[in-house]
Amino acid sequence: TVLNATDYTPVAVIKTGARPRGMVFSPDHKLLYVACGGADRIDIVDVASLKVVGRIGGIDDPETFDLDKKGERLFISNEDAGELSMFDLATKKLLKSVKVGLEPEGVLLNADDTIVYVASEGSNIVSAIDVASGKRTDIPTDTRPRRFAMTPDGKELWVSTELAGKVDLIDVATDKVTGS
């Protein structure tokens, strides 16, 4: 549902695949990518027309995702498979998949798109994955890590831990939780 930003009245309803979840704009804000977990796909919405103009299919239960700064690759958490999948937007093809913990949720790329972080709520870990090599480093967190925020200087990653009711602070240089 698209809302008027002034009074929050509905402007339009966009029909997407089943169970829409994560959403991310393209860098130019002309497209909106929507993870449709029940349809195993990402729908691509044209912002000007408010219509679905494309799809990337064959994605096992997409949860949330991030888009690289150039708008070329999607990094998607696949909840049922316990994986991170990397897709090329030009070809709509899978580049690689990396196993992560159980029930991956939040996904966030660092500022230079070299590391992607994935929160696995069922395993109580954040995986730091080198985008080029696929090498994974797991960082233990409190219970049910879900969503991320990076500090403006890029030195600290904050992850909400749903059942702990707090935010864990991760030093990205050492891949260690330094506080909460």
Side-chain angles (χ1 to χ4, degrees):
T1 301
V2 180
L3 303 176
N4 178 303
T6 304
D7 63 7
Y8 307 111
T9 57
V11 173
V13 174
I14 302 168
K15 296 289 184 186
T16 64
R19 205 167 167 221
R21 300 163 103 174
M23 298 184 294
V24 172
F25 282 104
S26 62
D28 62 8
H29 283 246
K30 291 182 178 180
L31 299 173
L32 176 68
Y33 298 93
V34 181
C36 302
D40 291 337
R41 70 182 194 224
I42 301 287
D43 281 359
I44 305 167
V45 176
D46 175 76
V47 173
S49 68
L50 301 179
K51 305 275 187 222
V52 175
V53 295
R55 293 186 169 90
I56 303 171
I59 301 171
D60 185 32
D61 195 19
E63 174 79 20
T64 61
F65 53 95
D66 202 1
L67 176 65
D68 70 5
K69 307 310 179 276
K70 293 181 182 177
E72 297 173 349
R73 297 170 296 168
L74 283 178
F75 296 79
I76 307 163
S77 62
N78 306 112
E79 187 174 37
D80 289 343
E83 293 180 338
L84 170 79
S85 57
M86 302 176 199
F87 274 83
D88 180 278
L89 285 173
T91 64
K92 297 182 181 174
K93 300 288 184 202
L94 177 68
L95 297 171
K96 74 173 85 163
S97 292
V98 177
K99 284 286 186 190
V100 293
L102 300 173
E103 298 178 60
E105 292 277 335
V107 178
L108 183 71
L109 283 155
N110 68 351
D112 63 2
D113 294 332
T114 58
I115 304 291
V116 60
Y117 297 94
V118 181
S120 295
E121 67 177 356
S123 298
N124 302 325
I125 60 170
V126 167
S127 297
I129 301 166
D130 181 278
V131 171
S133 70
K135 181 182 180 292
R136 183 182 101 198
T137 301
D138 290 335
I139 306 162
T141 65
D142 220 316
T143 50
R144 290 184 79 83
R146 306 244 329 168
R147 299 291 187 266
F148 295 113
M150 186 73 71
T151 56
D153 62 9
K155 294 181 179 179
E156 201 169 58
L157 178 70
W158 294 18
V159 58
S160 62
T161 55
E162 181 181 37
L163 293 183
K166 61 184 181 179
V167 173
D168 280 355
L169 313 176
I170 298 171
D171 179 327
V172 300
T174 63
D175 288 333
K176 304 273 188 238
V177 173
T178 58
S180 61

